[in-house]
Amino acid sequence: MSSQPLNEPATPGAPAAGPDRRGRAATFLKAAVSAALLFLLLRRVDWGELGAMLRRTDPLWVLLSVPAGILPIAVSSWKWRILLAAKGYPLPFRRLFNLYFAGLFINNFFPSTIGGDLFRSLAVGREIGDRAHALAAVFMERFTGLTALTAVALVAFAGNLASFRDTRFTAALGAGLLAYAALTLAVALPGPLSWARRRFPDGLPGRLLGKLIRIQSAVHEYAGRRRAVAAALALSLLFQLAAMLNVYVSSRAFGVELPPRTLLVIVPVILFISSLPITVGGLGLFEWAFFFTFGASGAGSSPGLLVGLLIRANSLLFSLWGGIVYATGGFRSGGADPQA
């Protein structure tokens, strides 16, 4: 699922010395949301049921959850490679795979200063000498994933209307669809950015808008690379299956066997909720997404929380390798500094 634990992105060097005042305020608000969600979880969880399920944990399924968690990252890395190759930058899969782990490390341990996706973009931009196309490739990797997620969610909605009688499911799905529509319009329509650039041609706003226009133009170039986009969409659907497998295997670790129809309903909702940038590193929101969706689907809130915690633990485990890549400069290639 990306650089998030179900995977679902600063510079390629050390993190910034510290966020500015606005960045500190945003980080504080996100930390407050994380704390509030964790507090609510602690208040609502059934500790007796949680302890009983922990005592019945199956170590074999816990071990199997590790490769099940790596599979979505491998699929996303391969998709990223295809999108870069379509622009004439066929970077090795191994390098991009390692960068994905490094991005996961950034997300988990430096969420207030840099993002994993931006880190990956700038690391590749340094290597290929073109930051705009590197950012466009990461954007398309994410956007095709969101497109596939939206399609799967709509299929789940149409095929399992009874499951969506819970208004919370419907609200989560509706919010995700609105966000997808807004993002699509923002990227597809060049008018708003061009208008803003004419209105603010100079200074920092003008430079920033100029960079955004170049990135948008690089994204639009994928319209002429339909085979690559089609392959990315196919791999995005494969990613959804890999994410469902990850949840299924992690659930079996606690004696819960989810049928395919339930997975089809809850996994898109989990992905939609956990992708909201309102907490620090997804802390609290990710766990709450599992607690809520499992409970609403009838699988049980306590099992859902344990599944979310197991996937979170695996994410931290994967981050150890990402930390090694980051600390040793394994993402560097010595390429020219990119031009935005």
Side-chain angles (χ1 to χ4, degrees):
M1 305 183 164
S2 83
S3 291
Q4 290 297 328
L6 278 180
N7 340 91
E8 105 237 162
T11 60
D20 58 18
R21 184 178 301 175
R22 185 178 300 176
R24 287 196 297 269
T27 300
F28 176 80
L29 288 174
K30 289 182 177 182
V33 175
S34 287
L37 289 173
L38 290 172
F39 176 76
L40 288 174
L41 278 174
L42 292 175
R43 289 287 302 274
R44 296 188 60 176
V45 69
D46 185 332
W47 291 101
E49 182 184 12
L50 203 70
M53 296 196 71
L54 279 173
R55 289 190 291 271
R56 297 196 302 268
T57 300
D58 189 329
L60 176 60
W61 285 102
V62 171
L63 289 175
L64 290 174
S65 72
V66 175
I70 292 175
L71 181 59
I73 300 175
V75 172
S76 294
S77 301
W78 189 256
K79 178 173 62 169
W80 186 21
R81 184 182 186 278
I82 288 175
L83 291 167
L84 281 168
K87 290 293 191 76
Y89 306 116
L91 300 185
F93 169 79
R94 180 179 177 181
R95 182 170 301 156
L96 298 178
F97 191 50
N98 283 337
L99 272 176
Y100 229 104
F101 281 104
L104 187 60
F105 169 75
I106 295 295
N107 280 338
N108 281 326
F109 294 102
F110 299 124
S112 62
T113 53
I114 46 181
D117 284 347
L118 183 58
F119 168 85
R120 293 191 294 122
S121 298
L122 297 185
V124 168
R126 173 185 172 87
E127 180 166 351
I128 67 178
D130 192 324
R131 186 176 297 170
H133 281 92
L135 285 164
V138 169
F139 174 84
M140 285 298 294
E141 184 245 315
R142 290 299 192 183
F143 184 73
T144 52
L146 184 58
T147 300
L149 172 60
T150 303
V152 171
L154 289 174
V155 170
F157 182 81
N160 302 274
L161 291 177
S163 298
F164 285 91
R165 288 175 183 169
D166 189 314
T167 56
R168 294 172 297 176
F169 269 137
T170 306
L173 177 60
L177 292 176
L178 286 175
Y180 174 74
L183 180 61
T184 301
L185 289 174
V187 174
L189 300 178
L193 282 178
S194 298
W195 174 86
R197 180 67 187 280
R198 290 194 299 270
R199 188 76 182 272
F200 306 99
D202 302 316
L204 179 60
R207 291 195 300 273
L208 177 60
L209 287 166
K211 292 176 185 293
L212 290 175
I213 289 172
R214 285 193 289 275
I215 294 169
Q216 186 184 55
S217 177
V219 170
H220 287 177
E221 289 179 14
Y222 279 103
R225 293 163 173 80
R226 295 181 180 178
R227 291 183 61 181
V229 173
L233 287 170
L235 285 170
S236 295
L237 291 173
L238 180 60
F239 172 90
Q240 296 300 317
L241 293 176
M244 292 178 193
L245 177 65
N246 189 16
V247 173
Y248 174 81
V249 171
S250 299
S251 299
R252 290 297 303 271
F254 305 107
V256 177
E257 186 169 359
L258 297 173
R261 176 168 292 189
T262 300
L263 289 168
L264 191 63
V265 171
I266 67 174
V267 172
V269 175
I270 289 171
L271 289 172
F272 270 135
I273 294 175
S274 60
S275 65
L276 296 174
I278 61 174
T279 58
V280 176
L283 184 62
L285 183 64
F286 184 75
E287 292 77 11
W288 181 263
F290 278 89
F291 185 84
F292 152 62
T293 54
F294 272 62
S297 69
S301 296
S302 294
L305 178 58
L306 287 176
V307 171
L309 290 173
L310 176 57
I311 294 176
R312 168 75 73 180
N314 282 334
S315 172
L316 295 175
L317 177 64
F318 304 152
S319 294
L320 295 179
W321 174 247
I324 294 173
V325 173
Y326 181 83
T328 60
F331 51 84
R332 294 193 180 97
S333 68
D337 287 336
Q339 298 299 315

